[in-house]
């Protein structure tokens, strides 16, 4: 999760060099959905896809918010800003989730709200300064909207009917998200010439399909059932660090002083939110005492 999910921002940047951003996302998610669907059918049979219309609708809505809007806008934004800056701004997702909880009249702890204020302070610095580089304002606005859409989708996923099988739910989300991106690409009139697509863009797209949409997600599902949530949740503030380093090493993306400082502020804010919420959940669900012999 650390390396692969953190590297997807670099892979997106390389993919959209010669493949339109929305179309590349459509190709990525529809392909991954079909592959995952075949694997589920072979391993679990048709019963894995048994779901009500409301459950299918819930997964479809989440797919549109996470993938069509969220991931699609990240790809659009990376036409104007570096992959590292995009990853740092996307790191604000846990902060947006706390804001959505406030809207839903859930009262987070004081330390959680403190982490949100700290994190959004870093987001504000990045947004106002562009990380100290020549980043486009439009790219920053687009990626912030992408983060908000991803947060809304994540927030709703635990509050609306969803398929019982998480892998089947993921296949539906990716399929609907891919179809949504296909339609959006057609409406936007994205030009595409197969002859102009470079080998490295094809390789990056294949990496996104196999590693980003299949392997990393499978690892995430496995970790949720096999590792402490406190360990799993650390991806939220490790991914942007990996993305910034890979962008600088592979593409030579500039890493300015203000970008480093603002990025650290965001990471600190997110870490404070994650650690506080982890402690809250630990208090609410204490470990069972061992049964007497």
């Amino acid at each position: 999760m650390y390396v692969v999910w953190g590297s997807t921002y670099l892979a997106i940047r390389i993919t959209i060099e010669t493949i339109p951003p929305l179309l590349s996302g459509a190709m990525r998610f529809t392909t991954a959905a079909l592959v995952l669907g075949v694997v589920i059918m072979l391993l679990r049979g048709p019963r894995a896809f048994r779901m009500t219309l409301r459950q299918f609708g819930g997964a479809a809505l989440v797919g549109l918010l996470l993938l069509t809007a969220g991931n699609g806008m990240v790809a659009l934004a990376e036409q104007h800003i570096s992959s590292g800056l995009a990853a740092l701004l996307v790191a604000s997702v846990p902060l947006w989730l706390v804001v959505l909880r406030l809207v839903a009249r859930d009262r987070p702890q004081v330390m959680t709200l403190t982490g949100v204020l700290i994190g959004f302070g870093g987001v504000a610095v990045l947004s106002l300064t562009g990380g100290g580089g020549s980043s486009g304002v439009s790219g920053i606005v687009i990626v912030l909207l992408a983060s908000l859409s991803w947060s809304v989708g994540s927030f709703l996923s635990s509050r609306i009917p969803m398929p019982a099988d998480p892998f089947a739910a993921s296949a539906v989300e990716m399929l609907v998200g891919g179809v949504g991106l296909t339609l959006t690409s057609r409406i936007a009139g994205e030009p595409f010439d197969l002859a102009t697509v470079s080998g490295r863009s094809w390789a990056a797209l294949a990496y996104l399909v196999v590693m980003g949409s299949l392997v990393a997600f499978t690892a995430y599902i496995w970790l949720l059932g096999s590792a402490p949530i406190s360990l799993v949740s650390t991806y939220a503030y490790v991914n942007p660090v990996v993305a910034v380093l890979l962008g600088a090493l592979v593409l030579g993306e500039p890493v300015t002083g203000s970008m480093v400082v603002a990025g650290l502020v965001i990471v600190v804010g997110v870490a404070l939110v994650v650690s506080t919420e982890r402690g809250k959940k630990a208090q609410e669900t204490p470990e069972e005492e061992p049964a007497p012999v």
Side-chain angles (χ1 to χ4, degrees):
M1 282 174 58
Y2 284 169
V3 177
V4 174
W5 276 5
S7 66
T8 54
Y9 296 92
L10 172 65
I12 289 173
R13 185 63 182 264
I14 295 175
T15 299
I16 64 175
E17 287 177 348
T18 55
I19 304 177
L22 297 176
L23 180 60
S24 68
M27 297 165 68
R28 169 188 176 182
F29 292 116
T30 51
T31 302
L34 294 175
V35 172
L36 182 59
V38 170
V39 172
I40 293 173
M41 289 290 289
L42 292 176
L43 296 180
R44 302 191 179 188
R47 66 182 183 276
F49 286 99
R50 290 177 182 172
M51 63 188 74
T52 66
L53 185 60
R54 292 186 65 189
Q55 289 173 329
F56 176 85
L61 176 60
V62 171
L64 290 173
L65 289 169
L66 294 182
L67 306 179
T68 301
N71 197 275
M73 284 192 286
V74 168
L76 286 173
E78 288 198 35
Q79 293 179 309
H80 310 285
I81 62 176
S82 67
S83 62
L85 179 56
L88 287 173
L89 291 170
V90 171
S92 64
V93 165
L95 311 179
W96 285 113
L97 288 172
V98 176
V99 173
L100 293 173
R101 286 173 52 195
L102 285 170
V103 174
R105 297 184 178 179
D106 182 11
R107 300 181 64 181
Q109 296 186 18
V110 174
M111 291 304 293
T112 298
L113 295 176
T114 302
V116 170
L117 293 175
I118 292 173
F120 275 131
V123 172
V125 172
L126 278 179
S127 301
L128 294 173
T129 66
S134 57
S135 301
V137 175
S138 59
I140 292 175
V141 172
I142 291 171
V143 80
L144 287 175
L145 291 174
S147 301
L148 179 58
S149 179
W150 188 279
S151 302
V152 173
S154 301
F155 183 77
L156 291 178
S157 64
S158 61
R159 291 167 171 79
I160 59 177
M162 294 288 287
D165 190 301
F167 294 99
S170 176
V172 172
E173 291 169 12
M174 288 194 290
L175 180 60
V176 174
V179 171
L181 283 166
T182 301
L183 295 175
T184 308
S185 174
R186 293 295 299 273
I187 293 172
E190 286 187 327
F192 179 63
D193 184 359
L194 189 63
T196 63
V197 180
S198 66
R200 67 187 241 145
S201 287
W202 283 124
L205 180 60
Y207 179 86
L208 288 171
V209 171
V210 177
M211 301 300 293
S213 296
L214 294 174
V215 174
F217 178 77
T218 304
Y220 179 67
I221 295 298
W222 181 84
L223 281 170
L224 285 178
S226 307
I229 190 63
S230 58
L231 175 62
V232 181
S233 59
T234 56
Y235 85 91
Y237 45 90
V238 176
N239 280 175
V241 177
V242 173
V244 170
L245 290 175
L246 288 176
L249 291 174
V250 178
L251 297 179
E253 294 179 345
V255 181
T256 63
S258 61
M259 185 174 173
V260 171
V261 173
L264 287 174
V265 171
I266 294 173
V267 169
V268 168
V270 172
L272 185 58
V273 169
V274 171
S275 61
T276 303
E277 292 299 300
R278 177 186 61 200
K280 177 183 176 182
K281 290 180 181 179
Q283 292 177 359
E284 293 175 348
T285 57
E287 294 183 2
E288 291 184 334
E289 294 183 2
V293 177

